[in-house]
């Protein structure tokens, strides 16, 4: 079984090709280049290097969110279009879970997060080996997240490039319980995406059309419109 | 166009520059084999206009469905295709990116060349689906995002001789419609009301002296001020009279400038393109003056005036013949300039 992994949920880019549980090739970059420009040439280049054709791909794993709306849409659009063109399944994986997987051997709680601006984050937390989700992925204020983690009274490993933004706050709240992943574990890896799904049952190809990113937030205009409707109904 | 002696050129075209997710299959630049458009109007009208984030979300939901439908309706396989074409710009960047990335992924899997098409070139080439283009040709492109006079000396040659300095004509229609409390999109409502009106409120015309440029923001402000003054005096406005006065101003300026340019450049054919060319008032006025002048005038059928992928496929067919090819690194270009190929 040959998998293509695509991770474009935030600024970093990662593409991987995995064959029968072995990583054949993987690229992880943090160059803040436009995913729209880099994704397809990178996929082409990696497949060429491992001497595979697009039609050799049996399944596609893609980071489905949360993250940058545009980044998610580029990854999901490329993944679903390749999947639909090949009539092969596409599987979405939480971008927070993929990131947390970098620190899955940590004996404690693993918390992955992305900055969502105005002191908010997209975050989730898991136990060792991601065996249990202790905080479901959500859009949450950093203060509320840290309070939840504090209540658990366990060591917490923070993973993600955006952790740096909140480091002071984290230390202030959790003190010696706070651990920070080393630099080499801060970027999401497409091979991890594949690792997380390769032993799971595959979705059918009929589900490709309805596959969309998990934004975790409705669009601003829609939120305002709903608010207005509610006001109108009162 | 060039000869297709060897084999037909069959293009799969994709268009997602604004709020329509569209795919079409075009044979030899002239024949529509299939033409699928998934409109977001029902969703977007809640907001009184197109919200870019909502547009992008809908495109991701629709994109593979629309491409599949275009292939199925044409009864074709990817192996029947010559190339994949997609709107590269101008447009909403987030919206463009969905079509572009789907087109690139599809082209990559099926080992097909990819062609990035300018949205306005597409609108102009919608006419090639109706009848052969005769050069030199003058195109009046009028839509929600554009108001341009484009001179073409031959296929693939574009010279913008006039454009709007502020609002596009369609944008002015939408804004005036909002002032008159009409639903989005406002153009068709104003057009209908204008036809029902027995008199017109007099609004100014922006001639901009000898220039072929346009300006509609002054007219829009004049309508807003008129309503404001009437409100202050406690008088009701007659929406039909306002609609007719507004439309007369827009149509007179567009028609007069197009006619003057057609004569100056001695063109063989004048075409109208873009969403606002669906406007009955404008169509009728242009048809009348060019019939009097003895200059051929064409305007595509309504469904080819609004955004669609068939027009992108038509332009791409001529680009393909001219040897134009894009790269897998193609990006959305929201402010893309209309350049000759």
């Amino acid at each position: 079984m040959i998998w293509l992994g695509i991770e474009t949920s935030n600024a970093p880019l990662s593409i991987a090709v995995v064959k029968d549980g072995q990583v054949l090739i993987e690229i992880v970059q943090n160059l803040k280049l436009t995913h729209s420009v880099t994704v397809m040439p990178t996929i082409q280049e990696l497949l060429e290097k491992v001497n595979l054709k697009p039609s050799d791909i049996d399944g596609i794993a893609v980071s489905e969110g949360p993250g940058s709306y545009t980044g998610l849409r580029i990854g999901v659009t490329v993944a679903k279009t390749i999947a639909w063109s090949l009539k092969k399944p596409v599987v979405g994986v939480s971008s927070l879970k993929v990131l947390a997987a970098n620190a899955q051997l940590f004996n404690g709680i693993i918390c992955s997060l992305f900055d969502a601006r105005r002191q908010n984050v997209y975050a989730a937390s898991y136990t060792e080996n991601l065996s249990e989700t202790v905080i479901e992925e959500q859009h949450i204020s950093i203060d509320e997240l840290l309070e939840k983690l504090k209540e658990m009274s366990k060591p917490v490993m923070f993973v993600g490039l955006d952790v740096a933004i909140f480091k002071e706050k984290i230390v202030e709240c959790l003190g010696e319980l706070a651990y920070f992943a080393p630099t080499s574990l801060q970027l999401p890896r497409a091979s991890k995406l594949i690792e997380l799904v390769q032993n799971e049952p595959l979705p059918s190809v009929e589900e490709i059309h309805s596959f969309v990113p998990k934004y975790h937030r409705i669009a601003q205009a829609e939120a305002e419109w709903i608010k207005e409707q509610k006001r109108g109904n009162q | 166009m060039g000869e297709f002696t060897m084999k037909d050129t069959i293009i799969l075209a994709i268009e997602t520059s604004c709020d329509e997710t569209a795919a079409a299959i075009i044979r030899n630049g002239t024949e529509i084999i299939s033409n699928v458009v998934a409109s977001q109007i029902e969703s977007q009208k809640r907001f009184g206009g197109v919200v870019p984030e909502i547009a992008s979300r809908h495109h991701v939901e629709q994109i593979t469905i629309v491409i599949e439908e275009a292939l199925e309706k044409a009864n074709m396989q990817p192996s029947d295709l010559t190339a994949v074409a997609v709107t590269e710009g101008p447009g909403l960047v987030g919206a463009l990116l969905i079509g572009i990335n789907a087109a690139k992924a599809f082209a990559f899997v099926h080992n097909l060349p990819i062609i990035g098409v300018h949205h306005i070139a597409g609108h102009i080439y919608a006419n090639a689906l109706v009848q052969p283009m005769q050069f030199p040709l003058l195109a009046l492109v009028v839509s929600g995002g554009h108001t341009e006079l484009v001179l073409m000396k031959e296929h693939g040659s574009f010279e913008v001789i006039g454009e709007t300095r502020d609002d596009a004509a369609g944008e002015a229609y939408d804004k005036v419609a909002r002032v008159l409390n009409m639903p989005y999109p406002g153009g068709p409502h104003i057009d209908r009301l204008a036809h029902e009106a027995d008199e017109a409120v007099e609004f100014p015309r922006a001639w901009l002296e000898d220039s072929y440029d346009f300006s509609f923001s002054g007219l829009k402000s004049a309508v807003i001020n008129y309503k404001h003054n009437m409100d202050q005096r406690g008088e009701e406005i007659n929406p039909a009279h306002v609609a007719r006065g507004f439309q007369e101003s827009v149509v007179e300026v567009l028609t007069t400038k197009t006619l003057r340019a057609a004569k100056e450049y001695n063109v063989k054919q004048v075409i109208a393109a873009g969403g606002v060319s669906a406007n009955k008032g404008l169509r009728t006025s242009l048809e009348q003056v060019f019939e009097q002048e003895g200059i051929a005038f064409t305007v595509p059928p309504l469904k080819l005036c609004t955004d669609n992928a068939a027009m992108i496929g038509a332009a791409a067919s001529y680009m393909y013949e001219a040897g134009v090819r894009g790269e897998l690194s193609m990006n959305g270009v929201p402010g893309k300039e209309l350049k000759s190929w």
Side-chain angles (χ1 to χ4, degrees):
Chain A
M1 171 109 186
I2 295 171
W3 282 92
L4 173 67
I6 303 171
E7 159 59 83
T8 61
S9 61
N10 289 278
L13 167 74
S14 182
I15 307 286
V17 182
V18 171
K19 184 181 182 184
D20 302 329
Q22 302 271 326
V23 180
L24 296 184
I25 197 163
E26 178 171 38
I27 189 165
V28 182
Q29 64 186 37
N30 185 27
L31 303 173
K32 301 188 171 61
L33 298 173
T34 312
H35 290 316
S36 178
V37 172
T38 52
V39 172
M40 285 313 303
T42 307
I43 292 173
Q44 182 181 41
E45 189 191 326
L46 296 197
L47 284 176
E48 270 172 16
K49 278 188 177 161
V50 296
N51 210 10
L52 291 172
K53 300 185 298 295
S55 56
D56 293 326
I57 298 167
D58 299 303
I60 295 150
V62 63
S63 193
E64 66 181 1
S68 134
Y69 295 164
T70 301
L72 292 172
R73 277 193 286 266
I74 290 170
V76 165
T77 300
V78 165
K80 78 188 279 191
T81 308
I82 293 179
W84 168 75
S85 301
L86 295 170
K87 304 289 173 273
K88 294 287 165 63
V90 61
V91 190
V93 188
S94 155
S95 42
L96 287 164
K97 201 168 185 179
V98 172
L99 195 52
N102 280 349
Q104 71 189 94
L105 300 179
F106 182 69
N107 184 2
I109 292 166
I110 305 143
C111 176
S112 49
L113 62 83
F114 308 129
D115 182 25
R117 300 206 186 99
R118 288 185 233 152
Q119 295 298 306
N120 290 316
V121 290
Y122 295 108
S125 298
Y126 312 87
T127 55
E128 189 176 356
N129 280 319
L130 311 182
S131 47
E132 214 183 301
T133 305
V134 288
I135 297 176
E136 292 287 344
E137 59 179 44
Q138 57 192 287
H139 180 259
I140 185 174
S141 81
I142 184 72
D143 293 331
E144 203 184 333
L145 173 73
L146 292 176
E147 278 310 310
K148 284 188 183 202
L149 290 166
K150 197 177 177 181
E151 276 169 29
M152 295 177 196
S153 311
K154 283 185 185 158
V156 184
M157 170 75 86
F158 288 88
V159 198
L161 286 173
D162 296 344
V163 169
I165 304 170
F166 306 103
K167 193 163 182 179
E168 230 170 89
K169 216 164 209 178
I170 292 169
V171 173
E172 199 177 294
C173 182
L174 294 177
E176 286 182 354
L177 290 175
Y179 291 78
F180 298 94
T183 318
S184 59
L185 301 183
Q186 300 289 23
L187 299 176
R189 310 187 72 104
S191 59
K192 279 283 180 194
L193 274 176
I194 298 165
E195 204 171 271
L196 290 169
V197 297
Q198 62 187 358
N199 297 319
E200 303 290 318
L202 293 172
S204 72
V205 293
E206 280 73 38
E207 292 165 62
I208 297 170
H209 284 321
S210 57
F211 183 67
V212 290
K214 289 202 171 118
Y215 302 102
H216 282 271
R217 292 193 80 187
I218 56 171
Q220 183 92 25
E222 199 148 33
E224 280 162 19
W225 181 79
I226 291 167
K227 217 189 277 175
E228 228 165 77
Q229 299 305 301
K230 281 187 186 151
R231 213 177 292 146
N233 290 339
Q234 275 168 6
Chain B
M1 80 181 296
E3 287 104 61
F4 291 96
T5 45
M6 296 295 283
K7 163 170 182 284
D8 286 345
T9 299
I10 296 172
I11 306 264
L12 165 68
I14 297 169
E15 146 73 38
T16 62
S17 67
C18 191
D19 62 339
E20 324 272 5
T21 318
I25 294 181
I26 301 300
R27 193 190 335 249
N28 297 342
T30 52
E31 189 190 343
I32 302 173
I33 311 292
S34 65
N35 186 20
V36 179
V37 181
S39 171
Q40 302 177 4
I41 283 185
E42 277 310 306
S43 170
Q44 299 281 6
K45 76 178 185 194
R46 290 178 293 171
F47 314 114
V50 178
V51 177
E53 175 59 23
I54 306 275
S56 304
R57 290 187 180 197
H58 285 311
H59 286 311
V60 185
E61 293 161 11
Q62 293 295 326
I63 190 71
T64 53
I65 298 173
V66 166
I67 300 171
E68 181 169 271
E69 206 179 319
L71 283 164
E72 276 174 1
K73 283 195 170 156
N75 198 18
M76 279 188 179
Q77 303 297 320
S79 56
D80 298 321
L81 302 172
T82 314
V84 180
V86 65
T87 307
E88 202 176 354
L92 302 170
V93 67
L96 289 166
L97 287 177
I98 307 307
I100 290 170
N101 281 286
K104 291 196 293 185
F106 184 91
F108 170 66
V109 169
H110 298 294
N111 198 21
L112 292 164
I114 182 154
I115 300 169
V117 180
H118 193 285
H119 184 75
I120 295 304
H123 273 303
I124 293 171
Y125 272 86
N127 283 277
L129 297 166
V130 184
Q131 63 173 78
M133 291 156 83
Q134 302 168 60
F135 303 101
L137 173 152
L138 181 70
L140 170 67
V141 183
V142 269
S143 72
H146 304 274
T147 308
E148 277 154 44
L149 274 171
V150 182
L151 180 68
M152 291 182 72
K153 291 183 176 135
E154 57 184 324
H155 278 300
S157 151
F158 304 96
E159 190 191 332
V160 178
I161 60 168
E163 62 194 324
T164 183
R165 293 181 183 175
D166 40 60
D167 291 357
E171 205 177 341
Y173 266 93
D174 286 339
K175 285 177 182 167
V176 166
R178 216 174 300 165
V179 172
L180 300 178
N181 285 322
M182 290 176 203
Y184 171 86
H189 296 285
I190 292 184
D191 193 17
R192 182 180 43 77
L193 263 189
H195 278 269
E196 290 167 2
D198 48 4
E199 54 184 283
V201 178
E202 186 66 25
F203 290 116
R205 276 98 173 112
W207 294 113
L208 308 178
E209 292 163 1
D210 288 341
S211 165
Y212 288 122
D213 281 351
F214 302 97
S215 166
F216 295 105
S217 75
L219 171 61
K220 173 195 70 191
S221 302
V223 175
I224 293 169
N225 289 341
Y226 172 78
K227 170 143 196 304
H228 186 71
N229 290 338
M230 292 289 275
D231 286 350
Q232 292 241 308
R233 278 186 264 152
E235 288 177 48
E236 285 278 313
I237 59 160
N238 182 322
H241 295 173
V242 174
R244 183 168 155 187
F246 167 78
Q247 175 142 315
E248 280 179 354
S249 170
V250 174
V251 168
E252 188 183 332
V253 172
L254 290 175
T255 306
T256 308
K257 292 205 178 208
T258 308
L259 175 62
R260 185 153 56 81
K263 283 187 188 164
E264 183 185 332
Y265 292 97
N266 209 8
V267 301
K268 286 211 179 89
Q269 187 187 8
V270 173
I271 63 178
V276 180
S277 62
N279 183 291
K280 269 195 232 119
L282 179 62
R283 277 177 181 240
T284 313
S285 166
L286 290 169
E287 272 162 13
Q288 277 172 0
V289 300
F290 288 110
E291 201 184 320
Q292 277 168 17
E293 289 298 322
I295 299 173
F297 172 74
T298 46
V299 56
L302 295 185
K303 67 171 183 174
L304 294 179
C305 286
T306 47
D307 288 353
N308 64 88
M311 66 185 200
I312 300 302
S317 306
Y318 292 84
M319 294 172 80
Y320 180 82
E321 287 300 301
V324 180
R325 303 289 184 273
E327 304 281 339
L328 282 183
S329 58
M330 187 190 292
N331 198 8
V333 187
K336 192 174 169 64
E337 264 183 71
L338 182 60
K339 285 194 191 136
S340 302
W341 64 66

